[in-house]
Amino acid sequence: MSRIEIQRQAVMARLATAARVPLAESGGVTPQLIDDICRQVGVHPHSFRALFPDDDAFLDAVTDGLVEDCAARLRGGVAAFEPSAAAMAQGGPAAFAEAAVALADSWPLDRDGMLIRADRRARALRRSDGGNAVLKAEKLFLDALVDVHADLMAKLGRRFASSPVRSVRVILDTYERAFETWLLTGADAAGFHSSPYVQRTLPTLLENMSEPV
């Protein structure tokens, strides 16, 4: 990759990152949003369309960055997690409960990210095209989570009993819906580790979808 291309991609990543908060608040790419993030990054607004030919290309860049950050946080959380000796000795739900809290504390999802991804999916659903990029981003996210969850299972002395992709998709889908419900109740996102989903449902899923190595 040439030096110019590296610089170009770095600018694109900075613009995409700068847009996260305003996109989550407004739900759309507007001339004002473009002006604001270009001013923040130090890019002339006329250069924006040279980097992102249309709104979908820009939203895809924002979503890709969100997916990468979510996966990175989850990888970091799992890497730092070690089940307690007492929980492992019990051989029961205790270790799965610790693992579920570790997953929640790694913040794989946040409110802004959920809003932007939901808006991007809704935008694609309203049209007859544009869905392939959304599906690609979701697949990349799922693939990253499969590897991380496999590492988590290994720390528990377990492995997925059936298809890892299918198992992680169930975990991801239920986690997203539970986190969304938690936010809708007005609860603090930082306290999601204390939710009924993390305390009861997620440990059960981790146990029932796995088997001893």
Side-chain angles (χ1 to χ4, degrees):
M1 185 181 299
S2 69
R3 186 174 182 178
I4 293 177
E5 181 60 23
I6 292 175
Q7 293 175 339
R8 179 175 178 273
Q9 291 192 6
V11 171
M12 293 172 69
R14 289 166 59 199
L15 287 167
T17 300
R20 290 182 186 179
V21 172
L23 272 177
E25 292 176 350
S26 67
V29 181
T30 64
Q32 184 62 56
L33 181 143
I34 293 173
D35 287 344
D36 289 345
I37 63 174
C38 284
R39 187 181 307 110
Q40 180 179 335
V41 174
V43 175
H44 196 285
H46 290 170
S47 301
F48 182 85
R49 286 306 179 194
L51 297 170
F52 302 105
D54 52 43
D55 289 353
D56 283 350
F58 180 58
L59 291 171
D60 291 339
V62 174
T63 303
D64 288 347
L66 288 168
V67 167
E68 290 174 5
D69 286 354
C70 287
R73 290 197 299 270
L74 193 57
R75 279 193 292 268
V78 170
F81 168 71
E82 289 295 340
S84 67
M88 293 298 286
Q90 289 179 20
F96 296 102
E98 290 182 356
V101 171
L103 287 176
D105 283 344
S106 68
W107 282 73
L109 301 176
D110 57 39
R111 177 182 175 277
D112 288 353
M114 285 191 66
L115 285 170
I116 292 171
R117 289 173 59 219
D119 284 340
R120 183 66 185 93
R121 288 195 296 267
R123 181 183 174 90
L125 284 170
R126 293 189 191 101
R127 297 159 38 192
S128 60
D129 59 351
N132 288 336
V134 176
L135 293 175
K136 179 182 177 181
E138 294 295 318
K139 184 179 185 305
L140 288 174
F141 191 28
L142 182 62
D143 290 344
L145 296 191
V146 168
D147 292 338
V148 176
H149 280 75
D151 292 341
L152 177 67
M153 287 297 181
K155 290 193 172 190
L156 298 171
R158 312 276 291 190
R159 64 187 175 196
F160 286 112
S162 59
S163 166
V165 173
R166 184 165 58 249
S167 299
V168 174
R169 184 179 292 280
V170 170
I171 293 172
L172 176 60
D173 287 348
T174 57
Y175 191 107
E176 286 190 327
R177 297 292 76 75
F179 186 60
E180 181 181 88
T181 300
W182 181 257
L183 295 179
L184 288 172
T185 64
D188 184 0
F192 186 58
H193 62 271
S194 64
S195 68
Y197 175 80
V198 174
Q199 292 295 314
R200 295 193 295 270
T201 305
L202 184 53
T204 300
L205 287 175
L206 293 173
E207 183 173 12
N208 290 347
M209 291 181 174
S210 65
E211 62 186 9
V213 173

